[in-house]
DNA sequence: CTGGGCATCT
DNA sequence: AGATGCC
């Protein structure tokens, strides 16, 4: 039964009494939002944490010298955030680089387009909070909501004797000292918990931030920013009306975005008060029932939405924006670059993506920031396996052609086009292994993000749990040993950005294979035998089977494999030497801003060498850092070439893709893979001629992973 | 000179 | 697949 029992009674007796937490059915007052799916405790204690200039803090931890200078984090031409030294000089968030430099000529800029470090720190923060109580919901990378109602009740029970209640930090609209103590013991305890958590965050992660303590997410969020850097504020119920009315416009209400604000304005509503008194019926006409009620409630400061544990992300994506991209070659290279990084992240996550999506944004004078278009498709199982097994290069080689196919569904490359953004995304992430506990997926970040091992078990268990018993751990925050976390971490020795890669290979091609192509000189390119129908493709099976493939055998294969074969088969091939041929092609590519495989951690802050000529602002190169000589370089070097030993087969390469490359590039690619090919791996396995089949199928199941199925067919 | 994620709802 | 929202 409701364990809420243990709580004490007292104070606001009435309303809370009936259904404090457990509350079964009657939502009573909660009915407000129309949607009554989750009862929502009548009185909760919700915390909202908001880290101070998050990206800037992460960079200052990585390079302490930055603490003393005005620092701006730059993404393209925008300062997305800056430290307080810079703010003193007039720099603000989302200011253009030009304006910022004008205001503060000495502003030091660090590029922040690669979110790796921010994401890692962000999850450490969430994990830390979760170690005290599982009900933690993320909002972006730098904010977290936490429902500490249970923790508060427990403390209330323990310390029932001492009535010494006071608030930690500020209390909204209360001059200060006059603590109205125990009229609100729960919120007061919440303020203590918030203070302890902020201290833990600072001690263990080196981060400072603000916290808001209130009875709902809406209110906690609104109040948290009352006193800005590194402070906390509690909002008492009697001040709800005040805090809402003080908002300068409806747009300030969380949940009211750009579009909604415009629609409201069209109805003549501009201030919060306007919406509070506006007839609900009229609102319903515009927004529909549920949305109307929700909006009105928000204006009134009413929000019964629960803190929903976020857990591991449901999708992983990587994107880049630019001024102009108008050739297929550039698109291909960009996709390859984005995929290399994304696949690496996906591998670390540990889950297997079932869906891949490609999104683009076209240039358009009018609607510049909108209109994104996307196409998605399933991720072939064997590709997902490559990701999970760590054969990231192979996976990328298989995904690039898929992505190009999706691209061509949206863009007619024979006509001119002008893109300003490309995004690649994996979703429908499936926890591997048997126990599919759909939800338990705490995988990734939670488990291995930090140091592999110590990781927290707690996170795994805490995750799902029936709300009824989601107990907070509340081990005294102070001692709290369980959590691990390495405090300030790694970066002390940050790696130096600069040189490592730029110099290394002047050519800068990263190691990742871009396209796998089967190369045989086209003997008859198209099919010889099996062709049955000319058309379509993707699904039609037999057409275009390579000459050496036995159609009968082909039919027995799983569909994905058939597809793979078809796509790789329809590329040209050359049979010259005997090997099969599948080559991995490496395209010279620029950039790399994303880290290639193995050293994900190292990331450069600046990475010049990018293709974008334009930016090269004065990025900083941190003083201390320096490179560790040997290692980085070595790593890099070896990766780039020889390494590809296990090359792979072609996956599906769109011939179109390959053919679109400039001749010299094609040539280079060809010779490139030629070199790699000899390496170990499979060549040997090729069984004699095509007798294959049956048994091969079997073997194929498992061992063949690294090599393509083509080997079974290929004879020659 | 407008970033790079994420989520939810339709 | 798109819109919208939030950081």
């Amino acid at each position: 039964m409701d364990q809420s029992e243990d709580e004490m009674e007292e104070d606001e007796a009435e309303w809370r009494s009936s259904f404090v937490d457990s509350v079964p059915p009657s939502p009573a007052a909660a009915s407000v939002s129309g949607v009554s799916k989750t009862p929502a405790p009548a009185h909760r204690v919700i915390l909202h944490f908001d880290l101070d200039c998050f990206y800037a803090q992460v960079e200052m931890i990585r390079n302490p010298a930055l603490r003393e200078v005005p620092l701006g984090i730059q993404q393209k031409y925008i300062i997305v955030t800056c430290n307080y030294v810079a703010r003193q000089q007039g720099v603000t968030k989302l200011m253009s680089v030009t304006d910022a430099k004008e205001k503060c000529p000495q502003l030091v800029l660090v590029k922040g387009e690669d979110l790796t470090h921010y994401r890692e720190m962000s999850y450490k923060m969430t994990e830390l909070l979760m170690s005290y109580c599982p009900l933690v919901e993320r909002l972006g990378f730098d904010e977290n909501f936490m429902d500490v109602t249970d923790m508060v009740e427990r403390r209330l029970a323990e310390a029932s004797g001492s009535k010494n209640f006071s608030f930690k930090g500020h209390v909204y609209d209360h001059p200060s000292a006059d603590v109205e103590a125990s009229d609100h013991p729960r919120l007061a305890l919440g303020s203590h918990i918030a203070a302890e958590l902020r201290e833990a965050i600072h001690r263990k992660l080196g981060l400072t931030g603000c916290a808001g303590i209130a009875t709902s997410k809406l209110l906690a969020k609104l109040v948290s920013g009352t006193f800005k850097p590194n402070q906390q504020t509690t909002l008492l119920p009697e001040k709800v009306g005040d805090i809402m009315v003080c908002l300068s416009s409806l747009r300030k209400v969380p949940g009211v975005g750009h579009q909604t604000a415009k629609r409201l304005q069209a109805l003549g509503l501009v201030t919060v008060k306007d919406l509070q008194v506006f007839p609900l019926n009229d609102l319903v006409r515009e927004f529909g029932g549920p949305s109307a009620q929700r909006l009105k409630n928000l204006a009134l400061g009413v929000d019964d939405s629960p803190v929903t544990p976020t857990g591991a992300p449901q999708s992983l994506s990587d994107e880049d924006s630019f001024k102009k991209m108008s050739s297929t070659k550039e698109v291909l290279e960009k996709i390859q670059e984005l995929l290399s990084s994304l696949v690496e992240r996906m591998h670390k996550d540990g889950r297997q993506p079932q869906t891949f999506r490609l999104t683009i944004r076209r240039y358009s004078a009018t609607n510049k920031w909108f209109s994104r278009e996307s196409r998605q498709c399933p991720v072939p199982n064997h590709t997902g396996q490559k990701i999970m097994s760590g054969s990231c290069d192979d996976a990328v080689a298989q995904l690039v052609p898929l992505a190009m196919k999706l691209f061509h569904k949206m863009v007619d490359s024979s006509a001119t086009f002008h893109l300003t953004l490309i995004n690649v995304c994996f979703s429908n992430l499936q926890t591997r292994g048997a126990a599919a506990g759909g939800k338990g997926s705490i995988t990734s970040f939670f488990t291995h993000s930090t140091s592999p091992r110590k990781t927290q078990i707690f996170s795994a268990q805490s995750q799902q749990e029936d709300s009824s018993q989601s107990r907070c751990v509340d081990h005294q925050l102070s001692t709290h040993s369980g959590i691990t976390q390495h405090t300030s971490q790694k970066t002390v020795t940050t790696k130096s950005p600069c040189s490592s890669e730029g110099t290394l290979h002047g050519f800068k091609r990263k190691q990742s294979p871009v396209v796998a192509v089967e190369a045989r000189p086209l003997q008859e390119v198209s099919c010889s035998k099996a062709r049955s129908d000319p058309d379509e493709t993707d699904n039609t099976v037999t057409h275009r089977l390579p000459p050496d493939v036995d159609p009968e055998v082909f039919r027995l294969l799983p569909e994905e494999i058939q597809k793979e074969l078809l796509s790789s088969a329809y590329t040209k091939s050359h049979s010259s030497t005997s090997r099969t041929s599948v080559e991995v092609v490496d395209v010279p590519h620029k950039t790399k801003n994303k880290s290639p495989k193995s050293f994900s951690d190292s990331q450069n802050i600046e990475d010049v060498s990018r293709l974008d000529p334009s930016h090269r602002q004065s990025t900083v190169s941190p003083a201390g850092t320096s490179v560790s000589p040997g290692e980085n370089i070595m790593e890099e070097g070896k990766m780039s070439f020889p390494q590809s030993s296990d090359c792979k087969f072609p996956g599906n390469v769109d011939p179109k893709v390959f053919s679109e490359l400039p001749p010299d590039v094609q040539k280079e690619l060809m010779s490139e893979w030629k070199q790699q090919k000899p390496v170990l791996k499979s060549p040997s396995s090729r069984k004699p001629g095509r007798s294959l089949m049956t048994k091969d199928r079997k073997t194929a199941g498992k061992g063949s992973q690294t090599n393509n199925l083509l080997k079974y067919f290929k004879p020659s």
Side-chain angles (χ1 to χ4, degrees):
Chain A
M1 356 292 19
D2 50 314
Q3 56 191 67
S4 57
E5 232 37 21
D6 46 319
E7 85 249 66
M8 356 295 359
E9 64 289 79
E10 78 314 328
D11 70 325
E12 337 117 298
E14 51 224 19
W15 31 317
R16 94 176 189 122
S17 65
S18 42
F19 30 64
V20 177
D21 318 297
S22 49
V23 193
S26 64
S31 63
V32 288
S33 77
V35 202
S36 60
K37 57 173 177 192
T38 45
H43 80 281
R44 300 176 289 164
V45 177
I46 307 298
L47 308 184
H48 175 252
F49 292 94
D50 187 345
L51 297 171
D52 302 324
C53 53
F54 184 50
Y55 291 1
Q57 275 204 80
V58 172
E59 296 301 344
M60 292 189 294
I61 287 171
R62 296 199 343 134
N63 181 355
L66 296 175
R67 290 183 181 280
E68 303 151 30
V69 303
L71 169 67
I73 304 304
Q74 174 183 14
Q75 283 180 340
K76 293 300 183 290
Y77 301 103
I78 294 294
I79 302 298
V80 295
T81 193
C82 58
N83 66 6
Y84 279 81
V85 175
R87 292 187 195 197
Q88 281 181 311
Q89 299 179 41
V91 181
T92 66
K93 287 174 147 189
L94 298 182
M95 178 178 272
S96 75
V97 171
T98 322
D99 292 350
K101 277 288 202 174
E102 196 173 305
K103 289 249 182 189
C104 176
Q106 338 84 300
L107 182 65
V108 172
L109 300 176
V110 168
K111 294 243 191 199
E113 287 143 8
D114 184 324
L115 307 184
T116 303
H117 298 109
Y118 313 139
R119 182 161 35 228
E120 289 176 359
M121 188 63 87
S122 175
Y123 275 93
K124 283 182 184 177
M125 161 87 180
T126 298
E127 281 184 43
L128 179 54
L129 294 177
M130 281 180 53
S131 71
Y132 293 95
C133 169
L135 299 180
V136 177
E137 178 178 341
R138 294 164 54 80
L139 186 60
F141 281 8
D142 70 334
E143 295 183 23
N144 287 273
F145 287 107
M146 194 168 175
D147 185 331
V148 295
T149 303
D150 286 359
M151 222 186 290
V152 166
E153 294 298 339
R154 216 169 297 123
R155 289 191 181 198
L156 209 48
E158 297 173 359
S160 62
S162 64
K163 49 182 49 189
N164 177 6
F165 286 115
S166 63
F167 286 94
K168 284 285 191 188
H170 304 273
V171 176
Y172 186 83
D173 204 25
H174 274 262
S176 66
D178 77 326
V179 269
E180 0 250 308
S182 36
D183 282 338
H184 301 288
R186 291 180 175 76
L187 288 172
L189 284 174
S191 74
H192 283 244
I193 291 171
E196 291 164 19
L197 289 172
R198 287 202 302 126
E199 173 53 30
I201 290 163
H202 186 248
R203 184 178 55 241
K204 300 180 186 220
L205 302 180
L207 297 168
T208 64
C210 293
I213 301 90
T215 57
S216 70
K217 290 197 291 181
L218 170 70
L219 300 173
K221 180 172 171 54
L222 285 176
V223 81
S224 67
T226 307
F227 292 94
K228 271 304 283 258
N230 195 23
Q231 296 170 73
Q232 66 179 63
T233 312
T234 301
L235 179 68
L236 303 182
E238 58 263 38
K239 298 293 181 178
V240 171
D242 293 351
I243 198 173
M244 295 310 300
V245 168
C246 285
L247 295 177
S248 60
S249 80
L250 278 169
R251 186 59 240 277
K252 303 289 187 187
V253 179
V256 176
H258 211 251
Q259 300 301 323
T260 305
K262 276 203 302 199
R263 293 170 66 184
L264 290 170
Q265 190 168 13
L267 295 177
L269 309 179
V270 176
T271 68
V272 171
K273 190 109 209 152
D274 290 340
L275 180 52
Q276 286 179 355
V277 304
F278 194 73
L280 181 60
N281 289 339
D282 294 352
L283 209 57
V284 170
R285 229 169 268 125
E286 266 299 307
F287 297 90
S291 294
Q293 185 63 275
R294 197 185 113 256
L295 287 169
K296 185 132 201 164
N297 283 337
L298 290 176
L300 292 168
V302 173
D303 168 32
D304 64 352
S305 66
V307 170
T308 304
T310 303
Q314 297 176 18
S315 66
L316 296 191
S317 64
D318 205 336
E319 72 186 43
D320 200 359
S321 62
F322 27 79
K323 289 173 138 164
K324 178 181 171 88
M325 184 165 293
S326 49
S327 74
T328 307
K329 175 176 182 297
E330 291 176 289
V331 169
L332 168 65
E333 291 173 351
K334 179 56 72 181
I335 283 174
Q336 192 265 331
E337 173 189 335
L338 294 172
L339 277 173
S340 294
S341 169
L342 184 64
V343 166
E344 190 78 27
R345 272 212 278 146
M346 194 69 249
H347 168 65
K348 288 180 181 170
D349 175 282
R351 287 172 293 172
Q352 185 175 330
Q354 303 294 120
T355 304
F356 172 71
R357 175 181 349 188
L358 177 72
T359 300
I360 61 171
R361 181 181 64 194
R362 306 173 123 105
Y363 175 82
S364 133
T366 67
N367 223 344
K368 199 157 183 191
W369 44 74
F370 271 132
S371 85
R372 284 161 109 111
E373 300 166 58
S374 66
R375 291 294 184 275
Q376 58 183 28
C377 68
V379 174
N381 209 328
H382 65 276
T383 302
Q385 305 274 9
K386 290 283 189 193
I387 294 170
M388 300 194 47
S389 72
S391 304
C392 299
D393 293 350
D394 293 1
V396 171
Q398 291 166 16
L399 289 162
V400 165
L402 264 186
M404 292 307 291
K405 244 186 216 181
L406 295 176
F407 171 70
H408 284 121
K409 284 187 179 181
M410 295 184 279
V411 177
D412 173 8
S413 50
S414 68
T416 72
F417 59 91
H418 184 335
L419 306 184
T420 60
L421 175 145
I422 292 181
N423 172 298
V424 290
C425 176
F426 283 132
S427 59
N428 200 351
L429 278 17
Q430 198 168 312
T431 300
R432 79 175 182 312
K439 209 96 160 326
S441 60
I442 265 324
T443 32
S444 69
F445 265 109
F446 293 106
T447 48
H448 76 183
S449 82
T450 71
S451 46
R453 189 325 166 26
K454 32 186 40 256
T455 128
Q456 16 258 23
I457 305 212
F458 63 77
S459 58
Q461 60 177 5
S462 60
Q463 183 76 227
Q464 178 69 325
E465 186 113 37
D466 190 355
S467 59
S468 69
Q469 179 60 2
S470 63
R471 46 214 290 103
C472 303
V473 186
D474 195 10
H475 12 9
Q476 51 318 26
L477 302 137
S478 48
T479 59
H480 188 294
S481 54
I483 312 193
T484 132
Q485 280 348 344
H486 3 323
T487 92
S488 45
Q489 78 258 56
K490 51 171 126 259
T491 47
V492 177
T493 67
T494 342
K495 81 187 337 174
S496 103
C498 16
S499 46
S500 75
E501 10 216 81
T503 62
L504 224 305
H505 24 307
F507 206 14
K508 12 191 110 151
R509 51 208 280 305
K510 233 33 196 240
Q511 86 267 8
S512 31
V514 177
V515 180
V517 175
E518 179 177 13
R520 299 169 154 219
L522 31 132
Q523 6 191 306
E524 18 150 59
V525 170
S526 40
C527 35
S528 35
K529 40 179 103 183
R531 161 185 245 6
S532 57
D533 59 350
D535 59 307
E536 226 31 23
T537 122
D538 304 24
N539 37 8
T540 61
V541 179
T542 57
H543 84 284
R544 308 197 201 190
L545 282 177
D548 35 60
V549 173
D550 181 338
E552 301 293 280
V553 171
F554 183 83
R555 282 196 188 90
L556 297 174
L557 295 172
E559 195 175 314
E560 299 119 349
I561 302 220
Q562 290 183 353
K563 277 189 175 171
E564 180 183 350
L565 287 170
L566 284 175
S567 44
S568 54
Y570 75 168
T571 63
K572 7 183 131 194
S573 45
H574 80 349
S575 65
S576 58
T577 71
S578 56
R579 290 171 332 12
T580 131
S581 74
V582 165
E583 341 270 326
V584 175
V585 180
D586 239 44
V587 163
H589 97 260
K590 46 197 37 324
T591 199
K592 70 187 357 357
N593 58 340
K594 306 289 195 129
S595 67
K597 93 179 311 165
S598 67
F599 53 111
S600 57
D601 207 0
S602 54
Q603 253 357 287
N604 303 334
I605 296 182
E606 56 165 14
D607 88 38
V608 204
S609 86
R610 254 171 107 60
L611 56 158
D612 280 349
S614 54
H615 30 353
R616 273 186 128 281
Q617 289 282 354
S618 58
T619 36
V620 170
S621 65
T625 72
S626 101
V627 192
S628 45
E631 285 197 331
N632 295 338
I633 296 181
M634 275 258 287
E635 209 163 11
E636 187 83 326
K638 76 161 122 157
M639 278 321 234
S640 70
F641 241 72
Q643 171 30 358
S644 51
S645 55
D646 59 23
C647 50
K648 28 230 8 65
F649 55 111
N652 341 298
V653 163
D654 193 328
K656 196 167 181 186
V657 170
F658 185 77
S659 65
E660 282 160 352
L661 298 172
D664 54 309
V665 173
Q666 290 185 356
K667 217 163 146 190
E668 184 185 342
L669 296 176
M670 303 277 274
S671 64
E672 194 91 45
W673 34 275
K674 226 164 212 180
Q675 294 190 3
Q676 335 202 66
K677 196 93 199 153
V679 229
L680 32 100
K681 208 27 205 165
S682 60
S684 61
S685 76
R686 240 147 252 14
K687 253 63 207 178
R690 59 231 339 343
S691 48
L692 28 48
M693 318 346 256
T694 70
K695 83 174 193 354
D696 288 332
R697 251 195 336 350
K698 213 178 190 270
T699 63
K702 111 182 242 166
S704 72
Q705 298 264 14
T706 70
N707 280 343
N708 194 352
L709 304 164
L710 283 182
K711 82 177 164 200
Y712 292 108
F713 291 96
K714 161 311 131 160
S716 167

